[in-house]
């Protein structure tokens, strides 16, 4: 069974997806982490940077795209999933605001998406999976059995993301986090390559006024009904 969870940045998708995976013993795949890892790879080589606008050396990145190897491992102690880029654990690095500022531009590129989508589709062989992203129900797995489209107001999402970054010890301003979310919403939903949109058969979940427990309970009961 494939469960697809799409939605806007910082709307709680990954928390929901991890909760489903833990409750149903599914494999969880965070596709945003994959686009973030590609962005980090390009940043480390100086192929993407921001002055007033984002500049990407597309030629270099396209040339090296097959040298980018991404995989996930679960840390046995913390039980959290870690993202590896060419054998190195980059889980913390890919969550920085610096990467967040550039990732939407990198994930617009058709050759990047083609490579990531192909890799994501190979995960279907893992059996039961729950995958979160922007185009899972529309492009990666259009025939997924259960699809959810998660949303929340921009203010609520910015506050949640801000709290998360503060808890990790990052020094950020709420206004910058809000700006980043607005920018990413705009880029993710207006890009020509597989823009963020709700699949016609996806269930809309607005988490603005729901606690994490409520979100998970609601979605798990929906999946349980579906499986009956
Ligand atoms: O879910 P996230 O915030 O970690 O995703 C980071 C970025 O990656 C997001 O701004 C858009 C992009 N992305 C995408 O284009 N397609 C996906 N399936 C997942 C993420």
């Amino acid at each position: 069974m494939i469960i697809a969870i799409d939605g806007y940045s910082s709307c709680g998708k990954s928390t929901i997806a991890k909760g489903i995976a833990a409750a149903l013993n599914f494999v969880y795949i965070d596709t945003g982490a994959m686009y973030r890892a590609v962005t980090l790879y390009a940043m480390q080589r100086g192929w993407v940077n921001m002055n007033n606008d984002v500049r990407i050396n597309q030629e270099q990145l396209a040339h090296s795209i097959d040298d980018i190897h991404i995989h996930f491992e679960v840390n046995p102690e913390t039980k959290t999933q870690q993202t590896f880029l060419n054998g190195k654990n980059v889980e913390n690095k890919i969550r920085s605001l610096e990467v967040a500022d550039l990732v939407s531009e990198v994930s617009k590129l058709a050759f990047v998406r083609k490579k990531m989508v192909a890799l994501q589709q190979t995960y279907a062989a893992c059996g039961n999976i729950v995958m979160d992203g922007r185009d899972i129900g529309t492009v990666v797995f259009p025939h997924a059995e259960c699809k959810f489209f998660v949303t929340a107001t921009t203010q609520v999402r910015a506050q949640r993301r801000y709290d998360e970054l503060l808890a990790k010890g990052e020094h950020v301003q709420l206004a910058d986090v809000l700006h980043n979310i607005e920018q990413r919403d705009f880029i993710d939903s207006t890009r020509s390559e597989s823009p963020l949109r709700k699949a016609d058969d996806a269930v809309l979940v607005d988490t603005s006024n729901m606690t994490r427990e409520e979100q998970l309970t609601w979605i798990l009961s929906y999946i349980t009904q579906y499986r009956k």
Side-chain angles (χ1 to χ4, degrees):
M1 180 177 184
I2 294 173
I3 301 175
I5 307 202
D6 289 305
Y8 291 97
S9 299
S10 305
C11 61
K13 295 185 302 293
S14 67
T15 309
I16 292 173
K18 284 178 203 160
I20 294 172
L24 304 179
N25 204 19
F26 276 35
V27 173
Y28 164 58
I29 310 291
D30 174 356
T31 64
M34 298 166 78
Y35 290 97
R36 286 169 182 266
V38 174
T39 304
L40 180 68
Y41 181 92
M43 275 168 64
Q44 287 171 336
R45 283 155 187 80
W47 298 343
V48 57
N49 53 58
M50 181 151 55
N51 289 324
N52 283 328
D53 52 353
V54 177
R55 278 158 210 250
I56 306 175
N57 187 333
Q58 290 194 36
E59 215 168 282
Q60 289 270 29
L61 185 57
H63 184 73
S64 304
I65 195 78
D66 290 330
D67 299 334
I68 302 178
H69 302 287
I70 298 164
H71 78 274
F72 297 103
E73 284 179 27
V74 176
N75 178 318
E77 278 161 28
T78 60
K79 305 266 186 276
T80 55
Q81 190 164 285
Q82 308 288 302
T83 311
F84 284 74
L85 169 62
N86 291 345
K88 279 210 180 111
N89 186 333
V90 292
E91 187 56 35
N92 283 337
K93 284 192 178 156
I94 61 167
R95 305 292 165 192
S96 67
L97 199 50
E98 221 184 335
V99 170
D101 275 337
L102 300 169
V103 63
S104 280
E105 291 291 342
V106 172
S107 53
K108 260 164 84 172
L109 304 172
F111 64 88
V112 171
R113 303 206 70 79
K114 192 170 166 224
K115 171 90 182 171
M116 292 303 114
V117 169
L119 181 56
Q120 287 152 15
Q121 288 171 337
T122 65
Y123 287 114
C126 295
N128 289 328
I129 61 169
V130 49
M131 187 175 274
D132 79 13
R134 305 291 188 287
D135 58 345
I136 312 307
T138 52
V139 175
V140 182
F141 292 119
H143 303 297
E145 286 87 346
C146 270
K147 298 181 187 176
F148 298 98
F149 190 87
V150 189
T151 186
T153 64
T154 325
Q155 288 292 343
V156 166
R157 290 186 284 133
Q159 187 67 50
R160 286 179 186 161
R161 186 80 194 116
Y162 173 74
D163 292 343
E164 252 173 51
L165 289 168
L166 276 199
K168 279 189 192 164
E170 286 220 25
H171 301 286
V172 289
Q173 302 293 322
L174 180 59
D176 292 338
V177 176
L178 180 65
H179 178 69
N180 171 261
I181 284 181
E182 286 170 345
Q183 283 286 105
R184 286 205 285 154
D185 283 358
F186 178 76
I187 300 171
D188 295 347
S189 51
T190 56
R191 69 184 176 212
S192 58
E193 288 292 326
S194 26
L196 170 65
R197 67 170 183 82
K198 178 183 163 304
D200 293 338
D201 53 349
V203 177
L204 184 72
V205 187
D206 184 338
T207 66
S208 305
N209 297 309
M210 290 169 101
T211 64
R212 288 182 171 187
E213 289 71 28
E214 286 167 344
Q215 296 165 29
L216 191 59
T217 307
W218 192 89
I219 287 186
L220 281 175
S221 72
Y222 183 93
I223 297 169
T224 311
Q225 287 300 321
Y226 176 88
R227 293 176 104 187
K228 271 187 189 160

